[in-house]
Amino acid sequence: MQTRTLGPRSVSAIGLGAMPMSIEGRPDRDRSVATIHAALDAGVTLVDTADAYHRDAGEVGHNEELVAEALRSYGGDTSGVLVATKGGHLRPGDGSWTQDGRPEHLKAAAKESARRLGVEAIGLYQFHRPDPDVPYADSVGALVELLDEGVIQMAGISNADVAQIDEANAVLGGRLASVQNQFSPAFRSSLGELQHCASLGVAFLPWSPLGGIAKASDLGSEHSAFQDVADAHGVSPHQVTLAWELALADVVIPIPGSSRPQSTTDSARAAELQLSADEVARLSEA
C-alpha cells in the first residue's frame, strides 16, 4: 500500500469510510468487523468515523464503538492505524441530520469520542459541518483548546469552502491537518477546495469518492469514460475512480465507505493502479 502524508503522520493512500456500517441499511456486527479487518489486511491505516454515524436515537457513537471493537479484535499490529472522527453533527433518530457547533458541545463530544475509541488522545478530530447559528471561528476555536489540552493530536474540518479553510487554518495557527469534503465523478464542485488544500499542503479527504452508497454500483454505467479505462486495465471502475482522485494531487486521500470485505479490498487496490497522463486528463474532462 502506498502512503500519503496527513499532518505529521504517514497513512495509506486509500482509507476506509466506516459510516455505512452504522447507518440505515447497516450489516450485522460480524460482517462490519470483518470489513474493517479486511481493510487492515489490505494495508489501510486510515479509518474515518464520527459520533453521528448511527441510525437510532440513543446510540450516539455506534460507529466509533464498532471501529474500536474491530481494532481490539484484530490479530495484527494496529499501532500505525490513524482513526479520524468528527463532531458537530447530530442525528435525532428520525433520519435527519442537524448541527451543533457550539464550543462547549464540541469539547464535550471530543472527550466522549476519545472514551468510546479507548484512546487517551484522538489521532484526528474534525469539525463535521458548519453550524449557521455559531460563528465559524468559535467552533474551530474549540479544536484549538482540544489540541492544547492534548485531547486530540490533529485537527481538521469537513464540508468547508475555501474561505472557511483559510479561516480555520488561521484560527488554528497553521495547524489545520485535513479537509474532508464530498468529491466524486458526479460531484466535482469541491475541486477548488481540493486544489486549495494542495497549495497549502493540507490533506484533502474526499467523502463519498465513488458517488455515495446508493449510486456506487452505477458508477461505470453513468460515467462511461471510467468504465472504458477500467476495461483497458482489467479492473473495476471503482478502482479507476480512486486512482484518478489520487492523481489529482498528492494531498488527496480518498475514504470510500464500505460494509463488505470484498469492496474494501477492491478499493485498496486502487493505490497500486497507475493511470497515464492522458487517462487522467480524459477522466477529468468526462
Side-chain angles (χ1 to χ4, degrees), residues 144-213:
V144 175
E145 293 185 42
L146 290 167
L147 281 170
D148 292 344
E149 292 174 13
V151 178
I152 66 176
Q153 295 173 341
M154 290 185 285
I157 55 176
S158 184
N159 302 297
D161 60 27
V162 168
Q164 289 166 333
I165 292 171
D166 286 340
E167 183 175 8
N169 202 29
V171 172
L172 287 161
R175 292 184 289 177
L176 180 65
S178 66
V179 174
Q180 182 175 321
N181 278 13
Q182 184 177 9
F183 185 81
S184 70
F187 189 93
R188 307 189 188 200
S189 60
S190 287
L191 182 60
E193 285 77 21
L194 185 159
Q195 294 169 335
H196 192 58
C197 285
S199 72
L200 296 173
V202 171
F204 184 86
L205 316 181
W207 63 263
S208 287
L210 301 175
I213 300 169

Side-chain angles (χ1 to χ4, degrees), residues 224-273:
S224 59
F226 288 82
Q227 184 65 62
D228 292 344
V229 173
D231 291 341
H233 285 270
V235 300
S236 70
H238 301 83
Q239 283 187 39
V240 170
T241 299
L242 297 173
W244 165 67
E245 292 169 1
L246 288 172
L248 294 177
D250 61 9
V251 299
V252 176
I253 309 171
I255 47 172
S258 180
S259 63
R260 297 179 182 275
Q262 306 94 309
S263 59
T264 194
T265 299
D266 182 73
S267 291
R269 294 193 185 106
E272 308 307 323
L273 178 59

Side-chain angles (χ1 to χ4, degrees), residues 7 38 60 63 85 102 104 108 120 130 142 158 171 192 265 273 281:
V60 174
N63 198 244
T85 192
R102 294 173 300 129
E104 57 268 31
E120 291 185 6
S158 184
V171 172
T265 299
L273 178 59

